Amino acid sequence: MNLPVIEEGAKKSGVLWLGLPSGVRLAWHVWHDGALYVVAGGGEQSLPGLAELAAGRSEIEVVLRSKDNGAELVRFPAVAEVVDQAAAPEAVAALAKERLNARDAAGLTARWAEESTVVRLTPVSEPPGV
């Protein structure tokens, strides 16, 4: 795993691709504190199966593409886990800041707490010696 490439790619592009049971899905995200964060459901992006995978702390495939030419920059496994939004206000605030064209920007995080699932995608480290 090349964490510096993942971090740089995640910071430069606001979208990624997730390998979900329903197929590969495009999602907007934010890079915060060593992980990617996405929000699903509740009027936000439709990412069928992500909340269930995250509830079980499953690994999923993530793909970041170059913002310049669209070529694949890096593909890696990440552990998906549901974020306790009340316990992670900085991550939720960072995600909300990147939410473009929100219909209710003032009440966005409150709506997410009631209706949406915030998921942290932590890149999986390779075992020593790989």
Side-chain angles (χ1 to χ4, degrees), residues 67-78:
K67 189 173 183 178
D68 297 330
N69 62 17
E72 184 174 304
L73 183 63
V74 64
R75 178 182 301 256
F76 59 95

Side-chain angles (χ1 to χ4, degrees), residues 10-90:
K11 287 180 175 180
K12 285 186 176 180
S13 178
V15 296
L16 51 72
W17 283 257
L18 300 173
L20 299 175
S22 58
V24 176
R25 296 291 183 127
L26 177 68
W28 62 270
H29 72 279
V30 68
W31 178 265
H32 177 76
D33 200 23
L36 296 153
Y37 288 81
V38 298
V39 63
E44 294 298 331
Q45 54 200 346
S46 177
L47 300 171
L50 179 60
E52 293 77 13
L53 289 171
R57 292 185 45 94
S58 298
E59 281 189 19
I60 65 170
E61 184 174 65
V62 179
V63 176
L64 294 172
R65 295 189 175 274
S66 169
K67 189 173 183 178
D68 297 330
N69 62 17
E72 184 174 304
L73 183 63
V74 64
R75 178 182 301 256
F76 59 95
V79 173
E81 61 185 307
V82 174
V83 174
D84 177 348
Q85 296 180 51
E90 298 87 10

Side-chain angles (χ1 to χ4, degrees), residues 67-126:
K67 189 173 183 178
D68 297 330
N69 62 17
E72 184 174 304
L73 183 63
V74 64
R75 178 182 301 256
F76 59 95
V79 173
E81 61 185 307
V82 174
V83 174
D84 177 348
Q85 296 180 51
E90 298 87 10
V92 174
L95 191 57
K97 183 178 175 188
E98 294 300 315
R99 174 61 169 98
L100 302 176
N101 304 316
R103 62 182 160 94
D104 62 343
L108 186 62
T109 57
R111 181 169 54 83
W112 286 353
E114 289 182 24
E115 303 173 3
S116 302
T117 303
V118 173
V119 175
R120 177 177 32 252
L121 302 166
T122 306
V124 175
S125 299
E126 293 176 5

